[in-house]
């Protein structure tokens, strides 16, 4: 008899246990979005989407989460169609995407995306992007103001020649090169086109460029609104008194790895070859 009573007691205590709280699905939407905004968007697509239905709904049905998209490469995405992830991210913005940054995530097909509100496009390590597709994307997004092209091997030095009128709307430009031989005698097509067709530039970064004194002066003369200039590792530049006086109006100058505000410091370097690592 005592054993039976103990058994019944155990069953009754088990039935009185409180159900476990669904902490994941029970979070308010604004809390979920606050969590998701702290993640890379690739992680939202690959991880947060799979937690529960509530998380998937918040990640899928809230366009504000996808207004500014950052897709960074990680080795765990090696077996994933990363280009399809890009397209899925932009689609979730429901036309509200204003800024997109892709690191190893962009190819020519992705640049056909429809993002009418796009103002900022940053491409890093995107070797599958070509000049023609890049210019088509610039022409398709009339609100675009900021463009970054860093370590994209298929973007040639004369890329700006494809859409001269369209690039005139850009206010912020970054063009960074992975490797350059500063002893090569190459005409600086980029600087020539920048000086001619981009008068509204506010900030310019040319890391590892064959930029010469002549065309740097032309840029400074043709871009009166320029406030930020980064020409680190442009070893063909000789900062003489003429350039120093022209750069005096710039608020921030980066030169050969040194950042100075309100003035320029030149740093001698014997390196003719270098690598850029953002």
């Amino acid at each position: 008899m005592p054993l039976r009573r103990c058994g019944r007691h155990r069953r009754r205590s088990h039935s009185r246990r409180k159900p476990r709280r669904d902490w994941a699905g029970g979070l308010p939407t604004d809390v979920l979005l606050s969590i998701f905004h702290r993640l890379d968007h690739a992680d939202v697509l690959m991880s947060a989407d799979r937690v529960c239905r509530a998380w998937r709904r918040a990640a899928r049905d809230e366009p504000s989460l996808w207004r500014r998209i950052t897709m960074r490469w990680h080795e765990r995405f090696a077996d994933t169609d990363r280009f399809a992830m890009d397209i899925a991210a932009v689609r979730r913005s429901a036309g509200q995407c204003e800024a997109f940054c892709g690191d190893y995530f962009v190819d020519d097909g992705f640049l056909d995306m429809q993002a009418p509100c796009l103002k900022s496009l940053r491409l890093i390590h995107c070797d599958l992007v070509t000049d023609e597709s890049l210019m088509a994307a610039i022409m398709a997004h009339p609100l675009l103001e900021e463009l970054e092209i860093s370590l994209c091997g298929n973007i040639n030095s004369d890329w700006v020649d494809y859409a001269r009128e369209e690039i005139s709307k850009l206010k912020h430009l970054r063009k960074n090169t992975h490797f350059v031989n500063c002893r090569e005698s190459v005409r600086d097509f980029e600087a020539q086109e920048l000086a001619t067709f981009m008068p509204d530039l506010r900030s310019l970064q040319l890391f590892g460029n064959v930029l010469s004194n002549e065309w740097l002066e032309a840029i400074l003369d043709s871009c009166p609104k320029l406030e930020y200039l980064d020409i680190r590792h442009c070893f063909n530049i000789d900062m003489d008194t003429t350039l120093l006086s022209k750069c005096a109006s710039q608020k921030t100058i980066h030169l050969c790895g040194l950042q100075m505000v309100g003035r320029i410091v030149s740093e001698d370097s014997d390196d003719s070859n270098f690598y850029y690592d953002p």
Side-chain angles (χ1 to χ4, degrees):
M1 292 295 292
L3 291 175
R4 292 177 184 175
R5 284 198 294 270
C6 290
R8 286 197 298 271
H9 177 72
R10 284 198 298 271
R11 287 196 293 270
R12 284 197 298 269
S13 65
H14 178 74
S15 64
R16 288 197 297 267
R17 288 179 183 175
K18 294 181 179 179
R20 293 182 178 180
R21 182 181 178 185
D22 182 10
W23 65 268
L27 292 175
T29 301
D30 58 339
V31 175
L32 285 178
L33 293 179
S34 179
I35 294 173
F36 293 165
H37 276 297
R38 288 165 170 78
L39 301 176
D40 189 272
H41 288 85
D43 292 322
V44 176
L45 286 169
M46 295 298 295
S47 301
D49 253 18
R50 304 177 181 181
V51 174
C52 62
R53 291 181 180 178
W55 283 46
R56 178 169 176 78
R57 252 192 324 269
R60 182 187 56 197
D61 300 335
E62 292 293 336
S64 61
L65 176 64
W66 307 93
R67 186 170 291 130
R68 302 185 67 85
I69 300 172
T70 301
M71 305 285 283
R72 293 190 180 92
W73 170 254
H74 192 277
E75 59 185 10
R76 65 179 179 274
F77 301 142
D79 297 327
T80 305
D81 187 348
R82 59 186 187 273
F83 306 126
M85 292 172 62
D86 280 342
I87 296 173
V90 174
R91 284 177 177 170
R92 291 189 181 193
S93 72
Q96 298 183 25
C97 180
E98 297 180 357
F100 183 91
C101 175
D103 185 352
Y104 281 109
F105 266 88
V106 177
D107 63 354
D108 277 352
F110 171 76
L111 292 181
D112 294 332
M113 64 178 176
Q114 299 297 318
C117 297
L118 191 69
K119 297 180 180 178
S120 173
L121 177 62
R122 300 179 59 199
L123 306 176
I124 305 170
H125 293 110
C126 297
D127 289 337
L128 298 181
V129 173
T130 60
D131 296 333
E132 294 84 354
S133 295
L134 176 62
M135 289 301 100
I138 293 176
M139 290 186 284
H141 298 92
L143 300 181
L144 193 66
E145 296 180 348
E146 179 182 7
L147 177 65
E148 176 176 355
I149 310 168
S150 293
L151 316 181
C152 298
N154 276 332
I155 304 297
N156 299 316
S157 61
D158 57 349
W159 63 275
V160 292
D161 192 44
Y162 284 88
R164 296 176 176 180
E165 294 183 3
E166 285 72 17
I167 66 172
S168 63
K169 64 192 176 188
L170 295 178
K171 297 179 180 178
H172 309 280
L173 175 65
R174 300 176 184 176
K175 178 63 165 59
N176 301 315
T177 306
H178 186 70
F179 177 84
V180 66
N181 186 346
C182 295
R183 293 193 178 96
E184 288 183 356
S185 178
V186 179
R187 185 183 178 188
D188 195 355
F189 289 102
E190 279 182 319
Q192 181 179 355
E193 302 294 338
L194 294 178
T196 306
F197 298 104
M198 303 183 72
D200 290 331
L201 275 180
R202 268 71 165 178
S203 65
L204 175 63
Q205 182 182 73
L206 295 174
F207 191 109
N209 195 277
V210 293
L211 186 66
S212 64
N213 280 36
E214 176 187 1
W215 289 111
L216 177 56
E217 290 181 28
I219 291 174
L220 295 173
D221 290 337
S222 303
C223 304
K225 301 176 183 178
L226 191 65
E227 296 181 346
Y228 177 94
L229 177 64
D230 185 344
I231 51 173
R232 287 172 291 171
H233 293 289
C234 294
F235 296 124
N236 290 334
I237 295 293
D238 179 16
M239 294 303 296
D240 54 22
T241 55
T242 301
L243 277 180
L244 287 172
S245 62
K246 287 183 180 294
C247 289
S249 61
Q250 310 305 311
K251 292 182 179 179
T252 305
I253 300 295
H254 287 273
L255 182 61
C256 296
L258 298 180
Q259 176 180 2
M260 305 302 297
V261 178
R263 63 194 180 97
I264 301 174
V265 172
S266 178
E267 180 184 56
D268 294 332
S269 175
D270 295 330
D271 296 334
S272 61
N273 299 326
F274 69 93
Y275 287 90
Y276 169 76
D277 186 14

